[in-house]
Amino acid sequence: MNAQPDAAIVVSNVTVSYGAKRALDDVSLTVPAGASFALLGPNGAGKTTLISVLCTLRRPDRGSAAVAGADVVRMPTQARRSIGVVFQDSSLDDRLSAWENLEFHGLVYGMPKKRRRTMIEAALALVELEEWTHDIVRSFSGGMRRRLEIARALLHEPRILFLDEPTVGLDAQTRQRIWQYLETLRRERGLTVLTTTHYIEEVEDADSVCIIDQGRIIAQDTPAALKERFGQRWLTVLPQDQEAADAILASVPQVRRLGAQRLALPAEDEAATDAFLSTFRDRLSEVRFQPPTLESVFLSLTGRELRDRADGQRDAEKAAGRRGGQR
């Protein structure tokens, strides 16, 4: 692997397979130090597998990867000292207090007692959990647990922070607060942040967005450049019944399925769009225009929505976010 002194993360031709399924297929990317870098892709695209490789949890079958200059296979201990990780699923010990969870993390990283205490106090203050320092984590809301996990990931002052779907199931206010913490740290510490997420709005301000699907990188650039190059205006519709859906599919060659029921068609041609609506308006339950966005970029490149999930699952996540509380 060629040395790249200004790069926080370098991935070269990485391939990972699980049996016959190829989770990552010859993936290469570079993340500059101090950058905000986003991986976008549906469930099963390979995002979590790539995070696992970079966190030294999974050896690549082929290729190489380095974080903060340390090869993740040949120098795993050095690599781990440079990174902090917030996994999609909580890994806190809910039988311990917030302080005890952070204390254990500091001990694992060999932090001296005085430094450990100072950093724990600072981390809890950052995520606004000082009031619950000695409360058992089992009593915490979903939002509080996620904030504590971020505090833990930052405790040993890593140079790179990996966030794997860090805000799934959280309410909008908590999500916004978490991103404010991270942006502050990125400015103050020069922290490199690599995020995987389903939430498009969370990465609109990222320095670079990498779109991954079926284990392959299909596009990478700034959000503005991706929208300029691949973004389209789409009309998404919900037919009233299967008969209406079949009629649309039969008469509009460019139409694409979105999940089980909704359909999408390009809306750049106003005359064609008007003609479509004139024909089918009375057979549609929902009509929505979607301007060029990162979501439309993904739709244009893959023919599918980024949030490749059933509406029921989406509703369940929203409900979970409401239950997560605002504490």
Side-chain angles (χ1 to χ4, degrees):
M1 182 180 298
N2 295 329
Q4 300 189 46
D6 295 330
I9 301 167
V10 180
V11 178
S12 300
N13 309 111
V14 164
T15 295
V16 174
S17 297
Y18 296 103
K21 177 178 173 55
R22 184 161 288 186
L24 294 175
D25 190 357
D26 198 35
V27 167
S28 297
L29 59 86
T30 300
V31 181
S36 172
F37 188 93
L39 278 175
L40 292 183
N43 291 331
K47 305 186 303 297
T48 297
T49 298
L50 181 56
I51 293 285
S52 297
V53 169
L54 294 173
C55 293
T56 76
L57 299 177
R58 175 66 162 88
R59 293 171 66 102
D61 299 329
R62 292 200 302 274
S64 59
V67 294
D71 186 284
V72 298
V73 174
R74 293 187 291 107
M75 297 177 283
T77 300
Q78 183 179 335
R80 289 177 196 139
R81 291 193 175 277
S82 300
I83 65 175
V85 188
V86 177
F87 294 104
Q88 183 173 352
D89 297 321
S90 177
S91 57
L92 296 168
D93 189 329
D94 66 3
R95 300 164 297 178
L96 302 180
S97 68
W99 183 280
E100 289 167 337
N101 268 276
L102 299 186
E103 175 82 359
F104 181 75
H105 183 83
L107 288 168
V108 168
Y109 275 84
M111 298 173 68
K113 183 176 181 180
K114 185 176 180 180
R115 181 62 177 164
R116 196 165 65 240
R117 181 181 183 86
T118 300
M119 291 304 298
I120 290 174
E121 290 174 348
L124 290 172
L126 172 71
V127 298
E128 303 175 43
L129 289 176
E130 310 104 300
E131 186 178 342
W132 297 276
T133 293
H134 299 294
D135 286 17
I136 301 301
V137 169
R138 186 170 295 169
S139 67
F140 283 15
S141 68
M144 292 171 70
R145 291 186 187 213
R146 186 59 77 190
R147 283 149 54 195
L148 182 59
E149 287 182 295
I150 290 172
R152 182 183 62 180
L154 296 169
L155 188 69
H156 59 288
E157 297 184 285
R159 295 164 59 184
I160 302 166
L161 181 65
F162 294 110
L163 304 168
D164 190 11
E165 302 282 1
T167 59
V168 166
L170 299 183
D171 60 89
Q173 182 177 336
T174 300
R175 286 165 53 196
Q176 182 180 21
R177 189 181 303 173
I178 284 172
W179 288 111
Q180 288 172 345
Y181 301 149
L182 296 173
E183 185 57 30
T184 297
L185 284 170
R186 202 165 69 86
R187 290 196 309 267
E188 293 179 352
R189 296 189 190 175
L191 184 69
T192 302
V193 179
L194 187 151
T195 307
T196 75
T197 183
H198 276 102
Y199 298 116
I200 292 293
E201 65 275 11
E202 294 185 341
V203 297
E204 285 285 355
D205 295 325
D207 297 318
S208 185
V209 172
C210 177
I211 297 176
I212 186 169
D213 189 34
Q214 298 180 0
R216 285 183 169 271
I217 292 175
I218 56 177
Q220 180 183 331
D221 213 322
T222 65
L226 287 172
K227 285 185 277 189
E228 176 68 24
R229 184 178 178 189
F230 299 109
Q232 291 188 53
R233 187 169 181 255
W234 289 85
L235 175 68
T236 62
V237 300
L238 180 64
Q240 290 182 348
D241 50 39
Q242 189 59 50
E243 184 179 350
D246 292 341
I248 293 170
L249 289 166
S251 62
V252 184
Q254 308 96 322
V255 73
R256 298 184 178 183
R257 292 183 181 272
L258 300 181
Q261 297 178 309
R262 293 193 302 126
L263 305 174
L265 61 151
E268 300 291 347
D269 186 331
E270 292 188 12
T273 302
D274 289 343
F276 170 82
L277 290 174
S278 177
T279 302
F280 291 102
R281 187 185 302 276
D282 294 338
R283 305 179 70 179
L284 303 174
S285 300
E286 179 184 307
V287 175
R288 181 167 63 92
F289 283 98
Q290 181 175 312
T293 62
L294 288 175
E295 186 107 33
S296 73
V297 168
F298 189 84
L299 177 59
S300 298
L301 288 169
T302 69
R304 294 182 288 115
E305 281 191 305
L306 175 61
R307 301 189 191 188
D308 190 14
R309 299 170 290 172
D311 290 340
Q313 181 176 343
R314 200 174 290 136
D315 293 341
E317 284 194 2
K318 290 179 180 177
R322 287 192 293 270
R323 290 193 299 270
Q326 303 282 333
R327 288 191 290 175

